[in-house]
Amino acid sequence: MTEQTKMDKIISLCKRRGFVFPACEIYGGFANSYSYGPYGSELKKNIKDLWWKMFVRDREDIVGIDGPILLHPKVWEASGHTTGFNDALVDCKSCKKRFRADHLIEEALKFDLEGKIDEMTAALRENKVKCPACGKSDWTDVRTFNLMFATKMNNVSGEADESVYLRPETAGAIFIDFKNVVDSMRVKIPFGIAQIGKAFRNEIIAGNFIFRLREFEQMEIEYFISPEENWESLFEDWLNKQENFVKMIGAKEDDIRRSEHSAEKLSHYSKKTVDIQYNFPFGFQELYGLAHRGDFDLTAHSEASGEKLEYFDQENNKRFVPHVLEPTFGVDRSVLVALLSAYSEEEVNGETRVVMHFPKNIAPVQIAILPLSKKAELSAVSREIFEKLKERFVCEYDETQSIGKRYRRQDEIGTPYCLTIDFDSLEDNAVTVRDRDTMEQERIKVGELESYLVEKFK
Ligand code: ATP
């Protein structure tokens, strides 16, 4: 199976089985927008819950917040987004296709001119870089486009006048709540503030299914440290945690790699930035990132707002502006990794079985309850089992179609266990448990079912 057909197969499975739908289809679609269907939203929620448990609830040094999407416009002025959060775009005059100039240059010439607009125009022309779509080399000047979505806020008289922005990243809200968290919580440095939420970017060139969206979700942490802290070891520790998380959602070791930003690509305030890349069907691309941002953000917001954003270290009687490590995780890219890693086609009795081998704790449905027929006596027992198990697990009850078709459906959804209730069940008070991965079947007494399944999901 080539990588592109794998992507096509996943996109088609996602639509057929209710994971991800193209948005606004009845209106002819809306470019690069997707809707998470019933199983996709469960999968996405499970990934977010796993992250929140690992990085917030299980840690004494990290607290969570849920900030607004619309923030004061001054936030984005101070952070530099209003002037500097731009993409460099160039059009092919011949076929009229539009591209990210920095990506074209990096691919064709293997160097990075991010942020240097005039140099990019010159590099494309002097090196006669070819258009990937039509093969000609006839470029417009490189131009910048700000990636923030602007909207208008009503003033007192109800007229829309002031421009506000939909946040282009979740981190902004964390920095401006820094003081409130320090004042209200018993946080002691080093400590982190975490947030999961939507971010919006006017990506002119979106694409690759849910890899690059205009509206997406991020899971971000700002981890505040003392400027004197040995940050290198903490940095390494965070990278390991990020890689570990990718593995927990199903990725294989060989599909993950690190890519450190070169000195030219590194932001002026960053001591070090590393991308965690995943081997997507369209090549190794950024999945997550980790950046040492120094005291850039707190200092910028402090200067712009006039509020001191400091930390008082009681033990050493010292006041300072903390430095920050920023591990950032994309939710939608995580969902795509979970889908790509889980997908498998297996030959069974001359037929192809499509199975999503999701890790059990993120599977959208954990247990399917499948009575062999719709007969009332079977339904009664099956419903009783369903009612009991759904208190503890995510269960689905399904009694339509042949058992073979129902197994195939559950395999494609990635349900780890299917329980079949047949007429023997009425006699021996037991059900058949089918394992998604091995397809082995075991007969388990109804009274032992719950503890058996609890063990299986450990
Ligand atoms: P890229 O180089 O791919 O545009 P970026 O470096 O701009 O990404 P960051 O600003 O570091 O991305 O955002 C943090 C994370 O948010 C990324 O690692 C990615 O997982 C996710 N992300 C960023 N942009 C998008 C998008 N348009 N659609 C989906 N996820 C995104």
Side-chain angles (χ1 to χ4, degrees), residues 201 203 211-213 216 218 286-289 328 330 333:
R201 294 183 189 175
E203 304 264 11
F211 177 81
R212 188 177 299 285
L213 301 163
F216 57 99
Q218 293 181 315
E286 174 176 343
L287 170 65
Y288 304 149
T328 166
R333 289 185 193 178

Side-chain angles (χ1 to χ4, degrees), residues 318-333:
K318 262 169 87 180
R319 201 173 279 283
F320 57 85
V321 180
H323 284 197
V324 73
L325 301 182
E326 181 186 78
T328 166
F329 303 65
V331 176
D332 309 84
R333 289 185 193 178

Side-chain angles (χ1 to χ4, degrees), residues 87-92 95-104 124 130-134 139 142-143 204-205:
D87 263 357
L89 301 175
V90 66
D91 297 301
C92 169
C95 73
K96 313 284 179 233
K97 285 246 162 61
R98 180 165 280 181
F99 300 92
R100 281 266 299 264
D102 50 331
H103 287 178
L104 279 181
L124 285 170
K130 288 199 175 111
C131 168
C134 73
W139 300 108
V142 175
R143 285 168 300 159
I204 314 279
I205 300 149

